[in-house]
Amino acid sequence: VYWEASNAQWYGPYGVGSGYGAPSLATGSTGLPTLAVQGAGGAVWIYWEASNAHWYGPYGVGSGYGAPDVAIGPHSALPTVAVQGPGNSLWIYWEASNAQWYGPLEVGGGQSTNAVPSIAVGPSGLPTLVVMAPGADWVYWEASNAQWYGPLGA
């Protein structure tokens, strides 16, 4: 992890782990980032920054998954992570408070064949999940905490 202290002034690198796949990074309203990575055996690991250059984690939230995507809403510092699981299912984890994770919640079933999830959080704080499958995009959206709608073929 590298972080910018001022315009064109970068600090780091700060090693927060090893043996991981491609990272996904999101920054919430506090300005502090959260990092999700794929580890050995398809494990999903989360790191979060408590203060400048002070990282917490890793916190394992599951195994047997593909590469994760993480998003944080504009009014929160709490991230949501989307991953592809066994049988091309989709799974969601969300942080309720510091280091207290809920999930996994399956939202996709087998309709996400060969999919890579991408997640974003809107102004309401509720996330939307887009699954980019060959020939079709599928959209899921959260109506309330842990209540997902979809898929809608887009």
Side-chain angles (χ1 to χ4, degrees), residues 37-89:
V37 290
Q38 183 185 31
V44 175
W45 294 92
I46 308 292
Y47 294 86
W48 61 97
E49 189 181 10
S51 61
N52 194 28
H54 190 258
W55 285 79
Y56 291 159
Y59 184 82
V61 296
S63 61
Y65 299 117
D69 192 32
V70 62
I72 303 175
H75 307 295
S76 174
L78 303 179
T80 300
V81 177
V83 289
Q84 183 183 25
N88 297 313
S89 58

CSV table of all heavy atoms in Angstrom, one decimal, residues 37-89:
chain,number,residue,atom,x,y,z
A,37,VAL,N,-8.4,-8.6,-0.7
A,37,VAL,CA,-7.5,-9.4,-1.5
A,37,VAL,C,-7.9,-10.9,-1.5
A,37,VAL,O,-8.5,-11.3,-0.5
A,37,VAL,CB,-6.0,-9.3,-1.1
A,37,VAL,CG1,-5.5,-7.9,-1.4
A,37,VAL,CG2,-5.8,-9.6,0.4
A,38,GLN,N,-7.5,-11.6,-2.5
A,38,GLN,CA,-7.7,-13.0,-2.5
A,38,GLN,C,-6.4,-13.7,-2.1
A,38,GLN,O,-5.3,-13.4,-2.6
A,38,GLN,CB,-8.0,-13.5,-4.0
A,38,GLN,CG,-8.4,-15.0,-4.1
A,38,GLN,CD,-8.6,-15.4,-5.5
A,38,GLN,OE1,-8.0,-14.9,-6.4
A,38,GLN,NE2,-9.5,-16.4,-5.7
A,39,GLY,N,-6.5,-14.7,-1.2
A,39,GLY,CA,-5.4,-15.4,-0.7
A,39,GLY,C,-5.4,-16.8,-1.1
A,39,GLY,O,-6.2,-17.2,-2.0
A,40,ALA,N,-4.5,-17.6,-0.5
A,40,ALA,CA,-4.4,-19.0,-0.9
A,40,ALA,C,-5.7,-19.8,-0.7
A,40,ALA,O,-6.5,-19.5,0.3
A,40,ALA,CB,-3.3,-19.7,-0.1
A,41,GLY,N,-6.1,-20.7,-1.6
A,41,GLY,CA,-7.3,-21.5,-1.4
A,41,GLY,C,-8.5,-20.7,-1.7
A,41,GLY,O,-9.6,-21.1,-1.2
A,42,GLY,N,-8.4,-19.5,-2.3
A,42,GLY,CA,-9.6,-18.7,-2.6
A,42,GLY,C,-10.1,-18.0,-1.4
A,42,GLY,O,-11.3,-17.6,-1.3
A,43,ALA,N,-9.3,-17.8,-0.4
A,43,ALA,CA,-9.7,-17.1,0.8
A,43,ALA,C,-9.8,-15.6,0.5
A,43,ALA,O,-9.0,-15.1,-0.3
A,43,ALA,CB,-8.7,-17.3,1.9
A,44,VAL,N,-10.7,-14.9,1.2
A,44,VAL,CA,-10.8,-13.5,1.0
A,44,VAL,C,-10.4,-12.9,2.3
A,44,VAL,O,-10.8,-13.2,3.4
A,44,VAL,CB,-12.3,-13.1,0.8
A,44,VAL,CG1,-12.4,-11.6,0.8
A,44,VAL,CG2,-12.7,-13.6,-0.6
A,45,TRP,N,-9.4,-11.9,2.2
A,45,TRP,CA,-8.8,-11.2,3.4
A,45,TRP,C,-9.1,-9.7,3.3
A,45,TRP,O,-9.0,-9.2,2.2
A,45,TRP,CB,-7.3,-11.5,3.5
A,45,TRP,CG,-7.1,-12.9,3.7
A,45,TRP,CD1,-6.8,-13.9,2.8
A,45,TRP,CD2,-7.0,-13.6,5.0
A,45,TRP,NE1,-6.6,-15.1,3.4
A,45,TRP,CE2,-6.7,-14.9,4.8
A,45,TRP,CE3,-7.1,-13.1,6.3
A,45,TRP,CZ2,-6.6,-15.8,5.8
A,45,TRP,CZ3,-7.0,-14.0,7.4
A,45,TRP,CH2,-6.7,-15.4,7.1
A,46,ILE,N,-9.4,-9.1,4.4
A,46,ILE,CA,-9.6,-7.7,4.5
A,46,ILE,C,-8.6,-7.0,5.3
A,46,ILE,O,-8.3,-7.5,6.4
A,46,ILE,CB,-11.1,-7.4,5.0
A,46,ILE,CG1,-12.1,-8.2,4.3
A,46,ILE,CG2,-11.4,-5.9,5.0
A,46,ILE,CD1,-12.4,-7.8,2.9
A,47,TYR,N,-8.1,-5.9,4.9
A,47,TYR,CA,-7.3,-5.0,5.7
A,47,TYR,C,-8.0,-3.6,5.7
A,47,TYR,O,-8.6,-3.2,4.7
A,47,TYR,CB,-5.9,-4.8,5.1
A,47,TYR,CG,-5.0,-6.0,5.0
A,47,TYR,CD1,-5.1,-6.9,4.0
A,47,TYR,CD2,-4.1,-6.2,6.0
A,47,TYR,CE1,-4.3,-8.0,4.0
A,47,TYR,CE2,-3.3,-7.4,6.0
A,47,TYR,CZ,-3.4,-8.3,5.0
A,47,TYR,OH,-2.6,-9.4,4.9
A,48,TRP,N,-7.9,-2.9,6.8
A,48,TRP,CA,-8.4,-1.6,6.9
A,48,TRP,C,-7.5,-0.7,7.6
A,48,TRP,O,-6.8,-1.1,8.6
A,48,TRP,CB,-9.9,-1.6,7.5
A,48,TRP,CG,-10.0,-2.1,8.9
A,48,TRP,CD1,-10.0,-1.4,10.0
A,48,TRP,CD2,-10.0,-3.5,9.3
A,48,TRP,NE1,-10.1,-2.2,11.1
A,48,TRP,CE2,-10.1,-3.5,10.7
A,48,TRP,CE3,-10.0,-4.7,8.6
A,48,TRP,CZ2,-10.2,-4.6,11.4
A,48,TRP,CZ3,-10.1,-5.9,9.3
A,48,TRP,CH2,-10.2,-5.8,10.7
A,49,GLU,N,-7.5,0.6,7.2
A,49,GLU,CA,-6.6,1.5,7.9
A,49,GLU,C,-7.3,2.3,9.0
A,49,GLU,O,-8.3,2.9,8.8
A,49,GLU,CB,-6.0,2.5,6.8
A,49,GLU,CG,-4.9,3.4,7.3
A,49,GLU,CD,-4.4,4.4,6.3
A,49,GLU,OE1,-5.1,4.6,5.3
A,49,GLU,OE2,-3.4,5.0,6.6
A,50,ALA,N,-6.7,2.2,10.2
A,50,ALA,CA,-7.3,2.9,11.3
A,50,ALA,C,-6.8,4.3,11.4
A,50,ALA,O,-7.5,5.2,11.9
A,50,ALA,CB,-6.9,2.1,12.6
A,51,SER,N,-5.6,4.5,11.0
A,51,SER,CA,-5.0,5.9,11.0
A,51,SER,C,-3.9,5.9,10.0
A,51,SER,O,-3.6,4.8,9.4
A,51,SER,CB,-4.5,6.3,12.4
A,51,SER,OG,-3.5,5.4,12.8
A,52,ASN,N,-3.3,7.0,9.8
A,52,ASN,CA,-2.3,7.1,8.7
A,52,ASN,C,-1.2,6.1,9.0
A,52,ASN,O,-0.5,6.1,10.0
A,52,ASN,CB,-1.7,8.5,8.7
A,52,ASN,CG,-0.9,8.8,7.5
A,52,ASN,OD1,-1.1,8.2,6.4
A,52,ASN,ND2,0.1,9.7,7.6
A,53,ALA,N,-1.0,5.2,8.0
A,53,ALA,CA,0.0,4.1,8.1
A,53,ALA,C,-0.2,3.1,9.2
A,53,ALA,O,0.7,2.3,9.5
A,53,ALA,CB,1.4,4.7,8.2
A,54,HIS,N,-1.3,3.1,9.8
A,54,HIS,CA,-1.6,2.0,10.8
A,54,HIS,C,-2.7,1.2,10.3
A,54,HIS,O,-3.9,1.6,10.3
A,54,HIS,CB,-2.0,2.6,12.2
A,54,HIS,CG,-2.0,1.6,13.2
A,54,HIS,ND1,-3.1,1.0,13.7
A,54,HIS,CD2,-1.0,0.9,13.9
A,54,HIS,CE1,-2.8,0.1,14.6
A,54,HIS,NE2,-1.5,0.1,14.7
A,55,TRP,N,-2.4,-0.1,9.9
A,55,TRP,CA,-3.3,-1.0,9.3
A,55,TRP,C,-3.8,-2.1,10.2
A,55,TRP,O,-3.0,-2.6,11.0
A,55,TRP,CB,-2.7,-1.6,8.0
A,55,TRP,CG,-2.7,-0.6,6.9
A,55,TRP,CD1,-1.8,0.4,6.7
A,55,TRP,CD2,-3.6,-0.5,5.8
A,55,TRP,NE1,-2.0,1.1,5.6
A,55,TRP,CE2,-3.2,0.5,5.0
A,55,TRP,CE3,-4.7,-1.3,5.4
A,55,TRP,CZ2,-3.8,0.9,3.8
A,55,TRP,CZ3,-5.4,-0.9,4.3
A,55,TRP,CH2,-4.9,0.2,3.5
A,56,TYR,N,-5.0,-2.4,10.2
A,56,TYR,CA,-5.6,-3.6,10.9
A,56,TYR,C,-5.8,-4.7,9.9
A,56,TYR,O,-6.1,-4.5,8.7
A,56,TYR,CB,-6.9,-3.2,11.6
A,56,TYR,CG,-6.7,-2.2,12.7
A,56,TYR,CD1,-7.8,-1.5,13.1
A,56,TYR,CD2,-5.5,-2.1,13.4
A,56,TYR,CE1,-7.7,-0.6,14.2
A,56,TYR,CE2,-5.4,-1.2,14.5
A,56,TYR,CZ,-6.5,-0.4,14.8
A,56,TYR,OH,-6.4,0.5,15.9
A,57,GLY,N,-5.8,-5.9,10.5
A,57,GLY,CA,-6.0,-7.1,9.6
A,57,GLY,C,-4.7,-7.9,9.5
A,57,GLY,O,-3.8,-7.6,10.2
A,58,PRO,N,-4.8,-9.0,8.7
A,58,PRO,CA,-5.9,-9.3,7.9
A,58,PRO,C,-7.1,-10.0,8.7
A,58,PRO,O,-6.9,-10.6,9.7
A,58,PRO,CB,-5.3,-10.4,6.9
A,58,PRO,CG,-4.3,-11.0,7.7
A,58,PRO,CD,-3.7,-10.0,8.6
A,59,TYR,N,-8.2,-9.8,8.1
A,59,TYR,CA,-9.4,-10.4,8.7
A,59,TYR,C,-10.0,-11.3,7.6
A,59,TYR,O,-10.4,-10.9,6.6
A,59,TYR,CB,-10.4,-9.4,9.1
A,59,TYR,CG,-11.7,-9.9,9.8
A,59,TYR,CD1,-11.6,-10.3,11.1
A,59,TYR,CD2,-12.8,-10.1,9.1
A,59,TYR,CE1,-12.7,-10.8,11.8
A,59,TYR,CE2,-13.9,-10.7,9.7
A,59,TYR,CZ,-13.9,-11.0,11.1
A,59,TYR,OH,-15.0,-11.5,11.7
A,60,GLY,N,-10.0,-12.7,7.8
A,60,GLY,CA,-10.5,-13.6,6.9
A,60,GLY,C,-12.0,-13.7,6.9
A,60,GLY,O,-12.6,-13.9,8.0
A,61,VAL,N,-12.7,-13.5,5.8
A,61,VAL,CA,-14.1,-13.5,5.7
A,61,VAL,C,-14.7,-14.7,4.9
A,61,VAL,O,-15.9,-14.8,4.8
A,61,VAL,CB,-14.7,-12.2,5.2
A,61,VAL,CG1,-14.4,-11.0,6.1
A,61,VAL,CG2,-14.2,-11.9,3.8
A,62,GLY,N,-13.9,-15.5,4.4
A,62,GLY,CA,-14.4,-16.7,3.6
A,62,GLY,C,-13.3,-17.4,2.8
A,62,GLY,O,-12.2,-16.9,2.8
A,63,SER,N,-13.6,-18.5,2.2
A,63,SER,CA,-12.7,-19.2,1.4
A,63,SER,C,-13.4,-19.8,0.2
A,63,SER,O,-14.6,-20.0,0.2
A,63,SER,CB,-11.9,-20.3,2.2
A,63,SER,OG,-12.9,-21.2,2.7
A,64,GLY,N,-12.6,-20.2,-0.8
A,64,GLY,CA,-13.2,-20.8,-2.0
A,64,GLY,C,-13.8,-19.8,-3.0
A,64,GLY,O,-14.6,-20.1,-3.8
A,65,TYR,N,-13.3,-18.6,-2.9
A,65,TYR,CA,-13.9,-17.5,-3.7
A,65,TYR,C,-12.9,-17.0,-4.7
A,65,TYR,O,-11.7,-17.2,-4.6
A,65,TYR,CB,-14.3,-16.3,-2.8
A,65,TYR,CG,-15.4,-16.7,-1.8
A,65,TYR,CD1,-15.1,-16.6,-0.5
A,65,TYR,CD2,-16.6,-17.1,-2.2
A,65,TYR,CE1,-16.1,-16.9,0.5
A,65,TYR,CE2,-17.6,-17.4,-1.3
A,65,TYR,CZ,-17.3,-17.3,0.0
A,65,TYR,OH,-18.3,-17.7,0.9
A,66,GLY,N,-13.4,-16.3,-5.7
A,66,GLY,CA,-12.6,-15.6,-6.7
A,66,GLY,C,-12.2,-14.2,-6.2
A,66,GLY,O,-12.3,-13.9,-5.0
A,67,ALA,N,-11.6,-13.4,-7.1
A,67,ALA,CA,-11.1,-12.1,-6.7
A,67,ALA,C,-12.2,-11.2,-6.2
A,67,ALA,O,-13.3,-11.2,-6.7
A,67,ALA,CB,-10.4,-11.5,-7.9
A,68,PRO,N,-12.0,-10.6,-5.0
A,68,PRO,CA,-13.0,-9.7,-4.4
A,68,PRO,C,-13.1,-8.3,-5.0
A,68,PRO,O,-12.1,-7.8,-5.6
A,68,PRO,CB,-12.6,-9.7,-3.0
A,68,PRO,CG,-11.1,-9.8,-3.0
A,68,PRO,CD,-10.8,-10.7,-4.2
A,69,ASP,N,-14.2,-7.6,-4.9
A,69,ASP,CA,-14.3,-6.2,-5.1
A,69,ASP,C,-14.9,-5.6,-3.9
A,69,ASP,O,-15.8,-6.1,-3.3
A,69,ASP,CB,-15.2,-6.0,-6.4
A,69,ASP,CG,-15.1,-4.5,-6.9
A,69,ASP,OD1,-14.0,-3.9,-6.7
A,69,ASP,OD2,-16.1,-4.0,-7.4
A,70,VAL,N,-14.4,-4.4,-3.5
A,70,VAL,CA,-14.8,-3.8,-2.3
A,70,VAL,C,-15.3,-2.3,-2.6
A,70,VAL,O,-14.8,-1.7,-3.5
A,70,VAL,CB,-13.7,-3.7,-1.2
A,70,VAL,CG1,-12.5,-2.9,-1.7
A,70,VAL,CG2,-14.2,-3.2,0.1
A,71,ALA,N,-16.3,-1.9,-1.9
A,71,ALA,CA,-16.9,-0.6,-2.1
A,71,ALA,C,-17.3,0.0,-0.7
A,71,ALA,O,-17.7,-0.8,0.2
A,71,ALA,CB,-18.1,-0.6,-3.0
A,72,ILE,N,-17.2,1.3,-0.6
A,72,ILE,CA,-17.6,2.0,0.6
A,72,ILE,C,-18.5,3.2,0.2
A,72,ILE,O,-18.2,3.9,-0.7
A,72,ILE,CB,-16.4,2.5,1.4
A,72,ILE,CG1,-15.5,1.4,1.8
A,72,ILE,CG2,-16.8,3.2,2.7
A,72,ILE,CD1,-14.2,1.8,2.4
A,73,GLY,N,-19.6,3.3,0.9
A,73,GLY,CA,-20.5,4.4,0.6
A,73,GLY,C,-20.0,5.8,1.0
A,73,GLY,O,-19.0,5.9,1.8
A,74,PRO,N,-20.7,6.8,0.5
A,74,PRO,CA,-20.2,8.2,0.7
A,74,PRO,C,-20.4,8.7,2.1
A,74,PRO,O,-19.8,9.7,2.5
A,74,PRO,CB,-21.0,9.0,-0.3
A,74,PRO,CG,-22.2,8.2,-0.5
A,74,PRO,CD,-21.8,6.8,-0.4
A,75,HIS,N,-21.2,8.1,2.9
A,75,HIS,CA,-21.5,8.6,4.3
A,75,HIS,C,-21.0,7.6,5.3
A,75,HIS,O,-21.5,7.7,6.5
A,75,HIS,CB,-23.0,8.8,4.4
A,75,HIS,CG,-23.6,9.7,3.4
A,75,HIS,ND1,-23.3,11.0,3.2
A,75,HIS,CD2,-24.5,9.4,2.4
A,75,HIS,CE1,-23.9,11.5,2.2
A,75,HIS,NE2,-24.7,10.6,1.7
A,76,SER,N,-20.1,6.7,5.0
A,76,SER,CA,-19.7,5.6,5.9
A,76,SER,C,-18.3,5.3,5.7
A,76,SER,O,-17.7,5.7,4.7
A,76,SER,CB,-20.6,4.4,5.7
A,76,SER,OG,-20.2,3.3,6.5
A,77,ALA,N,-17.7,4.6,6.7
A,77,ALA,CA,-16.4,4.1,6.5
A,77,ALA,C,-16.5,2.6,6.5
A,77,ALA,O,-15.4,1.9,6.5
A,77,ALA,CB,-15.5,4.5,7.7
A,78,LEU,N,-17.7,2.0,6.4
A,78,LEU,CA,-17.9,0.6,6.4
A,78,LEU,C,-18.0,0.0,5.0
A,78,LEU,O,-18.8,0.4,4.3
A,78,LEU,CB,-19.1,0.2,7.3
A,78,LEU,CG,-19.1,0.8,8.7
A,78,LEU,CD1,-20.4,0.4,9.4
A,78,LEU,CD2,-17.9,0.3,9.5
A,79,PRO,N,-17.1,-1.0,4.7
A,79,PRO,CA,-17.1,-1.5,3.4
A,79,PRO,C,-18.0,-2.7,3.2
A,79,PRO,O,-18.4,-3.4,4.1
A,79,PRO,CB,-15.6,-2.0,3.2
A,79,PRO,CG,-15.2,-2.3,4.6
A,79,PRO,CD,-15.9,-1.4,5.5
A,80,THR,N,-18.4,-3.0,1.9
A,80,THR,CA,-19.1,-4.1,1.4
A,80,THR,C,-18.2,-4.8,0.4
A,80,THR,O,-17.6,-4.2,-0.5
A,80,THR,CB,-20.4,-3.8,0.8
A,80,THR,OG1,-21.2,-3.1,1.8
A,80,THR,CG2,-21.2,-5.0,0.3
A,81,VAL,N,-18.1,-6.2,0.5
A,81,VAL,CA,-17.3,-6.9,-0.4
A,81,VAL,C,-18.1,-7.9,-1.2
A,81,VAL,O,-19.0,-8.6,-0.6
A,81,VAL,CB,-16.2,-7.7,0.4
A,81,VAL,CG1,-15.3,-8.6,-0.5
A,81,VAL,CG2,-15.3,-6.7,1.2
A,82,ALA,N,-17.9,-8.0,-2.5
A,82,ALA,CA,-18.5,-8.9,-3.4
A,82,ALA,C,-17.5,-9.9,-3.9
A,82,ALA,O,-16.4,-9.5,-4.3
A,82,ALA,CB,-19.2,-8.2,-4.5
A,83,VAL,N,-17.9,-11.2,-3.9
A,83,VAL,CA,-17.0,-12.2,-4.5
A,83,VAL,C,-17.8,-13.3,-5.2
A,83,VAL,O,-19.0,-13.4,-5.0
A,83,VAL,CB,-16.2,-12.9,-3.4
A,83,VAL,CG1,-15.1,-12.0,-2.8
A,83,VAL,CG2,-17.1,-13.5,-2.3
A,84,GLN,N,-17.1,-13.9,-6.1
A,84,GLN,CA,-17.7,-15.1,-6.8
A,84,GLN,C,-17.3,-16.3,-6.1
A,84,GLN,O,-16.1,-16.5,-5.8
A,84,GLN,CB,-17.3,-15.1,-8.3
A,84,GLN,CG,-17.9,-16.2,-9.1
A,84,GLN,CD,-17.4,-16.3,-10.5
A,84,GLN,OE1,-16.3,-15.9,-10.8
A,84,GLN,NE2,-18.2,-16.8,-11.4
A,85,GLY,N,-18.3,-17.2,-5.8
A,85,GLY,CA,-18.1,-18.4,-5.1
A,85,GLY,C,-18.2,-19.6,-5.9
A,85,GLY,O,-18.3,-19.6,-7.1
A,86,PRO,N,-18.2,-20.8,-5.2
A,86,PRO,CA,-18.3,-22.0,-5.9
A,86,PRO,C,-19.6,-22.1,-6.8
A,86,PRO,O,-20.6,-21.6,-6.4
A,86,PRO,CB,-18.4,-23.1,-4.8
A,86,PRO,CG,-17.8,-22.4,-3.6
A,86,PRO,CD,-18.1,-20.9,-3.8
A,87,GLY,N,-19.5,-22.7,-7.9
A,87,GLY,CA,-20.6,-22.9,-8.8
A,87,GLY,C,-21.1,-21.5,-9.4
A,87,GLY,O,-22.2,-21.4,-9.8
A,88,ASN,N,-20.2,-20.6,-9.5
A,88,ASN,CA,-20.4,-19.2,-10.0
A,88,ASN,C,-21.5,-18.5,-9.2
A,88,ASN,O,-22.2,-17.6,-9.8
A,88,ASN,CB,-20.9,-19.3,-11.5
A,88,ASN,CG,-19.8,-19.9,-12.3
A,88,ASN,OD1,-18.6,-19.5,-12.2
A,88,ASN,ND2,-20.1,-20.9,-13.2
A,89,SER,N,-21.6,-18.8,-8.0
A,89,SER,CA,-22.6,-18.1,-7.1
A,89,SER,C,-21.9,-16.7,-6.7
A,89,SER,O,-20.7,-16.5,-6.8
A,89,SER,CB,-22.9,-18.9,-5.9
A,89,SER,OG,-21.7,-19.2,-5.1
